[in-house]
Protein backbone atom coordinates (compact mmCIF):
# COMPACT_ATOMS: atom_id res chain seq x y z
CA UNK A 1 0.00 0.00 0.00
CA UNK A 2 2.80 2.44 0.94
CA UNK A 3 4.53 1.68 -2.35
CA UNK A 4 1.33 2.62 -4.20
CA UNK A 5 1.15 5.91 -2.28
CA UNK A 6 4.81 6.61 -3.03
CA UNK A 7 4.09 5.85 -6.68
CA UNK A 8 1.57 8.70 -6.68
CA UNK A 9 -1.74 6.87 -6.25
CA UNK A 10 -3.86 9.21 -4.12
CA UNK A 11 -6.55 6.55 -3.70
CA UNK A 12 -4.02 4.31 -1.94
CA UNK A 13 -3.50 6.89 0.80
CA UNK A 14 -7.25 7.37 1.07
CA UNK A 15 -7.50 3.61 1.72
CA UNK A 16 -4.89 3.91 4.48
CA UNK A 17 -6.81 6.80 6.03
CA UNK A 18 -10.10 4.88 5.94
CA UNK A 19 -8.47 1.79 7.44
CA UNK A 20 -6.79 3.58 10.35
CA UNK A 21 -9.06 6.53 11.20
CA UNK A 22 -11.01 4.62 13.85
CA UNK A 23 -8.04 3.51 15.90
CA UNK A 24 -6.36 6.89 15.44
CA UNK A 25 -9.45 8.64 16.84
CA UNK A 26 -9.60 6.23 19.78
CA UNK A 27 -5.91 6.80 20.47
CA UNK A 28 -6.21 10.59 20.33
CA UNK A 29 -9.28 10.56 22.56
CA UNK A 30 -7.78 8.11 25.04
CA UNK A 31 -4.58 10.15 25.23
CA UNK A 32 -6.45 13.33 26.08
CA UNK A 33 -7.28 15.15 22.85
CA UNK A 34 -10.95 15.27 23.82
CA UNK A 35 -13.00 17.34 21.42
CA UNK A 36 -9.85 18.03 19.38
CA UNK A 37 -9.41 14.35 18.49
CA UNK A 38 -10.59 14.76 14.90
CA UNK A 39 -8.26 17.72 14.34
CA UNK A 40 -5.37 15.77 15.88
CA UNK A 41 -6.03 12.79 13.64
CA UNK A 42 -6.36 14.93 10.54
CA UNK A 43 -3.06 16.66 11.32
CA UNK A 44 -1.43 13.29 12.03
CA UNK A 45 -2.48 11.95 8.64
CA UNK A 46 -1.09 15.05 6.94
CA UNK A 47 2.21 14.70 8.81
CA UNK A 48 2.33 10.98 8.06
CA UNK A 49 1.81 11.67 4.37
CA UNK A 50 4.58 14.26 4.38
CA UNK A 51 6.90 11.87 6.21
CA UNK A 52 6.27 8.80 4.04
CA UNK A 53 9.79 9.18 2.63
CA UNK A 54 11.14 8.22 6.09
CA UNK A 55 8.78 5.27 6.55
CA UNK A 56 10.75 2.01 6.66
CA UNK A 57 9.84 -0.48 3.97
CA UNK A 58 8.25 -3.57 5.45
CA UNK A 59 7.31 -1.84 8.72
CA UNK A 60 3.74 -1.76 9.98
CA UNK A 61 1.88 1.48 9.20
CA UNK A 62 -0.43 1.40 12.24
CA UNK A 63 2.18 1.74 15.04
CA UNK A 64 4.03 4.35 13.00
CA UNK A 65 0.85 6.37 12.51
CA UNK A 66 -0.11 6.03 16.18
CA UNK A 67 3.27 7.37 17.26
CA UNK A 68 2.49 10.46 15.17
CA UNK A 69 -1.00 10.63 16.69
CA UNK A 70 0.56 10.43 20.16
CA UNK A 71 2.92 13.30 19.43
CA UNK A 72 0.15 15.39 17.88
CA UNK A 73 -2.12 14.72 20.84
CA UNK A 74 0.65 15.70 23.25
CA UNK A 75 1.29 18.94 21.34
CA UNK A 76 -2.41 19.78 21.10
CA UNK A 77 -3.04 19.14 24.77
CA UNK A 78 -0.05 21.24 25.79
CA UNK A 79 -1.02 24.07 23.47
CA UNK A 80 -4.79 24.11 24.01
CA UNK A 81 -4.99 23.55 27.73
CA UNK A 82 -2.41 22.45 30.28
CA UNK A 83 -5.05 21.07 32.54
CA UNK A 84 -7.91 19.17 30.92
CA UNK A 85 -10.59 18.04 33.30
CA UNK A 86 -11.34 14.39 33.74
CA UNK A 87 -14.93 15.03 32.71
CA UNK A 88 -13.80 16.41 29.37
CA UNK A 89 -11.62 13.40 28.67
CA UNK A 90 -14.37 11.03 29.70
CA UNK A 91 -16.83 12.71 27.36
CA UNK A 92 -14.40 12.57 24.44
CA UNK A 93 -13.51 8.94 25.14
CA UNK A 94 -17.14 7.90 25.37
CA UNK A 95 -17.92 9.70 22.09
CA UNK A 96 -15.14 7.74 20.35
CA UNK A 97 -16.63 4.44 21.47
CA UNK A 98 -19.33 2.71 19.45
CA UNK A 99 -22.86 3.47 20.59
CA UNK A 100 -24.52 0.97 22.84
CA UNK A 101 -27.27 -0.85 20.99
CA UNK A 102 -30.78 -0.03 22.19
CA UNK A 103 -31.29 -3.68 23.06
CA UNK A 104 -28.43 -3.54 25.59
CA UNK A 105 -29.29 -3.97 29.25
CA UNK A 106 -29.29 -0.49 30.87
CA UNK A 107 -27.81 -1.90 34.08
CA UNK A 108 -24.92 -3.44 32.15
CA UNK A 109 -24.41 -0.21 30.19
CA UNK A 110 -24.38 1.82 33.43
CA UNK A 111 -21.90 -0.55 35.03
CA UNK A 112 -19.67 -0.35 31.95
CA UNK A 113 -19.80 3.47 32.04
CA UNK A 114 -18.87 3.46 35.72
CA UNK A 115 -15.98 1.04 35.09
CA UNK A 116 -14.70 3.19 32.23
CA UNK A 117 -14.87 6.34 34.38
CA UNK A 118 -13.00 4.57 37.20
CA UNK A 119 -10.35 3.32 34.76
CA UNK A 120 -9.86 6.77 33.21
CA UNK A 121 -9.61 8.30 36.66
CA UNK A 122 -6.97 5.74 37.64
CA UNK A 123 -5.09 6.28 34.36
CA UNK A 124 -4.91 9.99 35.17
CA UNK A 125 -2.98 9.11 38.29
CA UNK A 126 -0.29 7.18 36.39
CA UNK A 127 2.86 8.72 34.95
CA UNK A 128 2.71 9.56 31.25
CA UNK A 129 4.82 6.54 30.23
CA UNK A 130 2.62 4.17 32.22
CA UNK A 131 -0.57 5.76 30.89
CA UNK A 132 0.72 5.46 27.32
CA UNK A 133 1.71 1.80 27.59
CA UNK A 134 -1.62 0.79 29.16
CA UNK A 135 -3.57 2.81 26.58
CA UNK A 136 -1.75 1.29 23.64
CA UNK A 137 -1.69 -2.26 24.96
CA UNK A 138 -5.21 -2.54 26.35
CA UNK A 139 -7.43 0.33 25.22
CA UNK A 140 -6.15 0.21 21.64
CA UNK A 141 -5.56 -3.56 21.79
CA UNK A 142 -2.10 -3.44 20.25
CA UNK A 143 0.29 -6.31 20.82
CA UNK A 144 3.65 -5.76 22.52
CA UNK A 145 5.54 -5.47 19.27
CA UNK A 146 3.20 -2.81 17.89
CA UNK A 147 3.22 -0.97 21.21
CA UNK A 148 7.02 -0.99 21.26
CA UNK A 149 7.14 0.33 17.71
CA UNK A 150 4.51 3.00 18.30
CA UNK A 151 6.17 4.27 21.46
CA UNK A 152 9.73 3.88 20.17
CA UNK A 153 10.72 1.75 23.13
CA UNK A 154 12.44 -1.65 23.23
CA UNK A 155 10.03 -4.53 23.80
CA UNK A 156 11.55 -5.26 27.21
CA UNK A 157 10.83 -1.69 28.27
CA UNK A 158 7.21 -2.10 27.19
CA UNK A 159 6.94 -5.27 29.29
CA UNK A 160 8.52 -3.75 32.40
CA UNK A 161 6.56 -0.49 32.21
CA UNK A 162 3.35 -2.36 31.54
CA UNK A 163 4.01 -4.60 34.53
CA UNK A 164 4.63 -1.60 36.80
CA UNK A 165 1.60 0.25 35.41
CA UNK A 166 -0.68 -2.74 36.00
CA UNK A 167 0.55 -3.07 39.57
CA UNK A 168 -0.21 0.62 40.16
CA UNK A 169 -3.64 0.22 38.59
CA UNK A 170 -4.36 -2.77 40.81
CA UNK A 171 -3.68 -0.57 43.84
CA UNK A 172 -5.84 2.26 42.46
CA UNK A 173 -8.69 -0.03 41.36
CA UNK A 174 -9.46 -2.63 44.01
CA UNK A 175 -11.55 -4.68 41.55
CA UNK A 176 -8.92 -4.50 38.78
CA UNK A 177 -7.60 -7.89 37.65
CA UNK A 178 -4.82 -7.72 35.03
CA UNK A 179 -4.87 -10.49 32.45
CA UNK A 180 -2.46 -13.31 33.10
CA UNK A 181 0.00 -14.20 30.37
CA UNK A 182 -1.34 -11.75 27.78
CA UNK A 183 -2.75 -12.55 24.40
CA UNK A 184 0.08 -11.88 22.01
CA UNK A 185 -0.97 -11.66 18.40
CA UNK A 186 2.12 -12.27 16.37
Amino acid sequence: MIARVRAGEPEAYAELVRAHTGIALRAAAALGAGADAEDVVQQAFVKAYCALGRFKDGASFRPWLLSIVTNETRNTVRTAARQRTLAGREAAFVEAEPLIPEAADPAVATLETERRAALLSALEKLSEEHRLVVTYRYLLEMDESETAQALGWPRGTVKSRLNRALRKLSRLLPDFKPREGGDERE
Side-chain angles (χ1 to χ4, degrees):
M1 186 77 70
I2 299 297
R4 289 177 45 211
V5 175
R6 287 178 175 160
E9 276 188 55
E11 184 56 34
Y13 197 69
E15 288 178 35
L16 278 175
V17 169
R18 283 191 293 273
H20 298 286
T21 295
I23 195 166
L25 283 171
R26 288 194 310 273
L31 295 172
D36 296 326
E38 288 184 13
D39 293 337
V40 165
V41 169
Q42 184 176 13
Q43 187 62 27
F45 276 118
V46 170
K47 286 191 174 183
Y49 184 81
C50 293
L52 277 177
R54 295 189 305 264
F55 183 79
K56 293 179 186 171
D57 288 332
S60 176
F61 183 75
R62 187 170 77 157
W64 185 71
L65 172 68
L66 291 179
S67 68
I68 295 171
V69 170
T70 299
N71 289 333
E72 282 301 309
T73 301
R74 186 178 298 132
N75 292 338
T76 297
V77 169
R78 285 182 184 156
T79 301
R82 297 272 176 208
Q83 301 291 326
R84 288 201 178 267
T85 63
L86 175 61
R89 288 184 182 193
E90 166 65 10
F93 186 69
V94 169
E95 288 174 10
E97 292 296 312
L99 296 175
I100 297 170
E102 289 182 22
D105 182 349
V108 172
T110 300
L111 186 58
E112 184 61 33
T113 300
E114 289 175 1
R115 285 184 184 151
R116 182 177 291 126
L119 177 61
L120 290 175
S121 177
L123 283 172
E124 286 294 315
K125 295 173 184 166
L126 297 179
S127 67
E128 182 178 348
E129 63 189 22
H130 289 158
R131 187 173 44 253
L132 284 172
V133 74
V134 170
T135 298
Y136 275 69
R137 187 68 178 89
Y138 292 105
L139 298 181
L140 300 176
E141 299 176 354
M142 298 175 76
D143 64 32
E144 280 181 7
S145 177
E146 290 176 318
T147 301
Q149 185 180 352
L151 295 174
W153 302 340
R155 215 167 155 173
T157 301
V158 168
K159 285 182 179 184
S160 64
R161 287 181 180 169
L162 185 60
N163 187 14
R164 279 186 236 126
L166 292 177
R167 280 187 297 186
K168 288 179 182 176
L169 280 176
S170 70
R171 286 192 297 267
L172 294 169
L173 299 168
D175 296 333
F176 179 77
K177 301 278 189 261
R179 284 189 263 171
E180 305 252 343
D183 60 342
E184 283 298 303
R185 296 175 286 147
E186 301 242 328

